Structures are given as C-alpha cells and as structure tokens.
Amino acid sequence: MTARTAAVQRPSLLRRLMQENSAVRRLDGLMLVAVAGLCVIGTLLVWSCTRTWAPGSTGLVKKHMLNEAIGVVLCAMVATVDHRAMRAYAPLVFFVSLVGLGLVITPLGATINGSHSWILLGGGFAVQPSEFAKVGLLLIIAMLLAQPAEGVDRPRGLDVMLAILAAVVAMGLVMLQPDLGTAMVLAVITAAGLVLGGVRKRVIAGLVATAAVGIFSVFYFQLLEPYQVARFTAFVDPSVDPRGVGYNATQSLIAIGSGQVFGKGLLGGGQTTGRFVPEQHTDFIFTVAGEEFGFLGSAAVVVLLGVVLVRGLRIARKCEDRFGTLVAGMIVCWFGFQTFVNVGMTIGIMPITGLPLPFVSYGGTATFANLIAIGLLQAIKVRGQSFL
C-alpha cells in the first residue's frame, strides 16, 4: 500500500473528532456556548468599568482575558479526564485546598477589601485558595457519599460524618479570614451533597437545626466583623446611612434603574464612568450590565446563566453513576446560589456578601475555579452517559 493510498484511507483529524461516538460530539455544546457568551459579555463589562482608572487605555481587560484563557486550558484539561478516576484524587485535591486555606491565615496571606483571603504571587497576581476549596470540597463529599452502604441505597453513617467533618474544617478556615460569602457557598455545596447523596431526613433536619442555632449564636454574641454587620444593616434599610453603609446598595439600584429597558450603550453609563458603584468590576459587575445594556441585556446574562444551570441539571439527572451525579448536582447548586446572591444584592433583595457573578466578574482564581467546574461537567457528560 502506497503512502498516498494510506493517507486516503486514514480519516482526517477533523473527521475523527466529529465522528458520532467521538468525545467532541459528546460535549455539551449548548453549555459551552452559554459559558463563552458570558465570558465575552464579562470582558466587555470589565473593559467598560475599568478603562477610566486602571493603568492603560484598556483597563484590566487584558489581564481578565489572560485569566479566561488560562481557565479555558484548565477546563479542557479536566474535561479530558475520566470523572470516575477523579475519585482517587479527591482526597489529594481537598488536602491541597486545605493547605491553601491554612497558608492564608499565616504571614503569607494578604488582606484585600477587608478579607484576609489572598496569597500574593508578585507581578500584580494573587490567588484566593477559598475558590479552589469549592472544587476540593465537592469532590471529597462526592467520593464519600457515592458508595452506598451494603443493602441500602444511602451512604454509610461514617461516610456522612466524614463528609460533614470535611465541610466544617473547610468552612472554619474560610471564616477565620473572614469570608462569609464563600462560607455560605461551601455550606450550600455540602447541603446539596447530603440531599443528593440520600442521607436520612432526620440527619438533615438535625443539621438544619444546628445551623439555625449557629446563625443565632453568631448574631447574639456579635461574632461578625463590623463591616459584615454594616452590610446586613444596609440590606435591611439602605436609607439609614446612604452615604455610609447604605452607599453601595443605593448606588447599585440607581445604576441598574438608570439603564431602563435598552440601556445607555457600552461605555455610555454615567454611574459606571463616574465610579459611583464601588467594586463594580467584581462583586457589582451586574450593575454595569443593567446600566449599559438595560433590562434586556441584563436579562440576557441571567438567561445564559440559566442555560448553564439547566444543562448542568440534565447532566446530573442522566449520569449513570452516583459520583458523577453528586459532582454535577453540587456544581449546579454552587453556581445557582452564587448567581442568585450576586444578582440579588445588586437589586436589593439580598445582603452584600462579596460573591462574584460566575463567568462575568473580574477575577483570576474565581475564573479558574468556575471553568474547572465546567470541565468537570463536560467530563461527566462525555463519559457518564453511554446513550449520548
């Protein structure tokens, strides 16, 4: 057989990738398109709200695009791994995330915006280990709860206790920073894992009661930091101190309301250009969408996030192994809760907690963690559903 004949008979790389049973065809294309759309919108919004004060005419957009590019690479790497093999690495990933959380409370940690949650790397880069802790925690919980006890369709009591212990340790280290918003996300991830894992209802009821007592104790014994108390005060009544604790909430509502239906156009927002809303490129990025893209544009952002959640739920529902179902379900709850809190705090229905909007807000570590989670969902989609 000549080389030319062999070349004719051998299918091209593109044709092999697009074959019916190829991994590329098994990817959830709609989810990837939605995530790509959110990243593009986020890049435009970051450019708009940082171009007037960040170094250079492009603001922080170049650094943001670099973070997104690294995140895409991480997403692709994770998507190529069999998610069932990740069970073996779950303890290591969780241990590394705990080490990162521990380093934050040492002299290596740095304080940014009142939260001692960062490790400075130099060159203007920093890492926030609590974002990676979300991935580490959901993997260890899924590993522990995926194996049911013999003869029943629920996990063993010891595994449940270990999962709760892992969550308590992670949340405890996060609260030492303190970072109430991330601790809440970790709590939601844990609750989702326990419910999806089939833990007995009385155990879940006991945990809910314990959490309620804990929340009451935090407020009763005044264990929150002053700035955290101020955020709750502003949530209850922003008009109490519109120039102080209620400033963020008040300016956020003004920015979103001023966009009306169609918005003022990209780069045309007066609130954004004037920097009336603090931290607009991170926690309050949704206000830029509301002012410059209006109701229709901000609704499009919510719809795209909804597409990611719905496709994630579909992956969880159709996955043929418990580990994949648990991982996918916890990721969906993580994204759903964080989206609700972020959007909610900008429109006044949730207190300000410092949680970024997934795939849209500026941030390196958060972007990496979000896209790693998308890679996990894609890995489950590719290898967890034999009928696709």
Side-chain angles (χ1 to χ4, degrees), residues 45 48 259 262-269 272 287-294:
L45 298 180
S48 176
F262 300 104
K264 299 178 179 179
L266 185 65
L267 313 181
T272 299
T287 63
V288 187
E291 182 180 22
E292 299 192 347
F293 296 159

Side-chain angles (χ1 to χ4, degrees), residues 52-103:
T52 59
W53 58 267
S57 60
T58 57
L60 296 176
V61 70
K62 289 184 178 179
K63 188 175 178 181
H64 183 62
M65 292 174 66
L66 175 61
N67 291 331
E68 290 178 328
I70 296 173
V72 169
V73 172
L74 293 173
C75 175
M77 292 173 60
V78 172
T80 60
V81 179
D82 191 332
H83 71 279
R84 292 163 294 191
M86 295 178 190
R87 296 179 63 172
Y89 299 101
L92 177 61
V93 175
F94 180 66
F95 175 75
V96 171
S97 68
L98 290 184
V99 171
L101 292 175
L103 290 176

Side-chain angles (χ1 to χ4, degrees), residues 238-301:
S239 64
V240 171
D241 187 7
R243 296 182 180 270
V245 297
Y247 179 81
N248 287 18
T250 301
Q251 295 299 321
S252 175
L253 289 174
I254 293 174
I256 292 178
S258 66
Q260 300 184 7
V261 178
F262 300 104
K264 299 178 179 179
L266 185 65
L267 313 181
Q271 290 287 111
T272 299
T273 303
R275 298 185 63 191
F276 289 101
V277 183
E279 305 303 326
Q280 203 166 15
H281 61 303
T282 54
D283 301 342
F284 286 89
I285 193 75
F286 192 73
T287 63
V288 187
E291 182 180 22
E292 299 192 347
F293 296 159
F295 172 79
L296 294 180
S298 54
V301 172

